[in-house]
Amino acid sequence: MMIETLAWTSSGVRFIDQTKLPTEESYVTCTTHEQVADVIRNMVVRGAPAIGVAAAMGIALGVTNSRAESPGALEREFEEICATMGETRPTAVNLFWAIRRMQKKFRSLSGVPLAQVQQALVDEARQMHAEDIAINRAMGREGAALMPVAGGVLTHCNAGALATCGYGTALGVVRAAIEQGKNLHVYADETRPFLQGSRLTAWELVKDGIPTTVISDNMSGAIMRQGKIKAVIVGADRIAANGDVANKIGTYTVAILAREHGIPFYVAAPLSTVDPDTTDGARIPIEQRNPAEVTHIAGRPMTPAGVQVENPAFDVTPATLVTAIVTERGIARPPYRESLSKLLAGEGQSSVSATLKAK
Ligand code: MRU
């Protein structure tokens, strides 16, 4: 059964609580857009594509709750709701992509009665949810050929069903390769400090019966040296126009290790993660999170009080270390400035709309 990361329901937007996994499978239902902003900030929902759709649903919820009596009041309220969503997390560009898409929809509805605006925005957010799953399936189809016929594949963080509306980006490629009969074994980096690898990637892969080994982050070099890893595949939070990739902190280290060991390093991400307005990785804003995520594990201190701590949530892997980028419209290869802009312009085949129509 497909994991339901987030869903629009008659009682609100429901999220699986990712802060509680893997020990507890519980759900949080948000009835206001402020609550949705909080669950994004607190990482009840996380992962770039999931954050984008969560923000869209939060906006739809905010507008649905609106009692505005004039188009001007509704517009002001709408922009405030969008601003609240935009202030949650800075790195994943999917968040801003989703807000822009909702703004475009809103503007197309000028002069339409409030009830119809509300319904159209709910429909748009739900459409984005359905599209995300179709996009992940398309990425799986595109990327499966890159996976080895058999052997270990290393991933970092969680770029799976839990980071999306279902199926996953990097893990979607792994799932598709396994569906094609490939014999893969996933090595999941633990991913300190938030443990998305050991808590979330391992949880969803074990649930699917996919052979999985968790390693702590400092083991990946040794495991590569033993010849156990045939490919690395990760997701992304933002890909700059030149192909530099922002992803979970530690991804850069893995990419360097992969290069040293002659192992291909792949990134799987929807085109909504590509940010043509950001020329290179140095310009990607990197979220700094609470030092307590580093100093404490499950509420217990792991460092002496008063020590200084850094907690950047993401790092940037230069395009030179990236073997290929899997998107729903095909695979981009270096030089990325050209290959990504061609894909963004709509070149290459997309099976996404066909998948959606077939539903
Ligand atoms: O801080 P998180 O858990 O939101 O970070 C998530 C990642 O870095 C993922 O690898 C990325 O969003 C891609 S998810 C398909």
Side-chain angles (χ1 to χ4, degrees):
M1 234 191 70
M2 192 122 130
I3 294 161
E4 202 166 66
T5 307
L6 70 166
W8 181 272
T9 74
S10 54
S11 40
V13 187
R14 193 181 59 213
F15 298 93
I16 189 166
D17 187 344
Q18 301 196 31
T19 63
K20 301 269 165 56
L21 290 171
T23 49
E24 186 187 317
E25 189 176 330
S26 59
Y27 293 81
V28 173
T29 299
C30 297
T31 54
T32 68
H33 70 276
E34 288 96 344
Q35 288 172 356
V36 174
D38 280 344
V39 300
I40 295 174
R41 216 175 277 116
N42 300 335
M43 295 181 55
V44 166
V45 64
R46 31 67 49 201
I51 292 173
V53 176
M57 289 191 173
I59 292 167
L61 202 54
V63 174
T64 302
N65 290 336
S66 171
R67 295 281 169 268
E69 280 172 4
S70 71
L74 179 63
E75 188 167 352
R76 270 194 304 281
E77 210 176 318
F78 176 79
E79 288 306 335
E80 277 166 24
I81 295 165
C82 291
T84 302
M85 290 301 154
E87 282 158 12
T88 50
R89 298 192 70 192
T91 305
V93 77
N94 308 59
L95 177 83
F96 306 100
W97 171 88
I99 294 170
R100 273 202 309 276
R101 181 159 156 180
M102 293 300 274
Q103 285 169 326
K104 194 169 163 207
K105 184 76 200 173
F106 183 80
R107 282 186 204 115
S108 76
L109 298 165
S110 121
V112 170
L114 177 61
Q116 282 175 40
V117 172
Q118 291 168 327
Q119 189 56 51
L121 291 175
V122 171
D123 292 346
E124 186 72 1
R126 295 182 76 172
Q127 171 74 9
M128 286 160 79
H129 184 279
E131 277 175 25
D132 184 61
I133 299 171
I135 284 168
N136 293 335
R137 293 252 176 212
M139 258 187 283
R141 285 192 290 275
E142 298 289 344
L146 299 176
M147 294 291 98
V149 174
V153 174
L154 180 80
T155 191
H156 190 76
C157 193
N158 172 265
L162 289 167
T164 62
C165 298
Y167 203 65
T169 58
L171 296 189
V173 171
V174 168
R175 286 189 166 98
I178 291 174
E179 283 162 23
Q180 288 177 8
K182 291 190 171 180
N183 190 9
L184 302 185
H185 187 113
V186 177
Y187 284 81
D189 274 349
E190 178 185 39
T191 319
R192 278 278 290 150
F194 210 73
L195 307 179
Q196 288 94 332
S198 56
R199 293 191 305 107
L200 308 177
T201 295
W203 180 79
E204 63 168 86
L205 293 181
V206 165
K207 214 172 161 69
D208 266 4
I210 295 175
T212 305
T213 298
V214 170
I215 58 171
S216 64
D217 297 334
N218 52 358
M219 294 176 189
S220 49
I223 301 278
M224 285 183 189
R225 195 147 197 215
Q226 289 165 20
K228 289 181 177 164
I229 307 297
K230 304 288 178 240
V232 175
I233 188 156
V234 296
D237 287 84
R238 191 184 297 225
I239 301 175
N242 71 342
D244 290 349
V245 174
N247 191 48
K248 181 52 54 194
I249 189 75
T251 303
Y252 172 49
T253 317
V254 174
I256 289 177
L257 285 170
R259 172 62 51 92
E260 174 67 19
H261 293 89
I263 297 166
F265 179 90
Y266 300 119
V267 174
L271 286 164
S272 54
T273 304
V274 179
D275 179 7
D277 299 331
T278 298
T279 50
D280 59 68
R283 289 165 212 271
I284 298 176
I286 301 294
E287 178 184 7
Q288 303 292 323
R289 290 191 62 86
N290 189 339
E293 290 176 358
V294 175
T295 56
H296 288 62
I297 295 183
R300 282 190 57 198
M302 295 291 144
T303 53
V307 75
Q308 292 180 40
V309 170
E310 292 204 18
N311 189 15
F314 303 97
D315 60 24
V316 175
T317 298
T320 47
L321 296 176
V322 179
T323 311
I325 300 175
V326 181
T327 78
E328 68 274 31
R329 286 206 194 119
I331 294 169
R333 294 210 180 250
Y336 290 112
R337 212 176 280 283
E338 282 83 352
S339 56
L340 288 174
S341 68
K342 275 188 187 159
L343 290 174
L344 281 172
E347 290 175 34
Q349 292 121 21
S350 169
S351 43
V352 177
S353 42
T355 311
L356 278 169
K357 275 193 201 115
K359 279 185 138 195

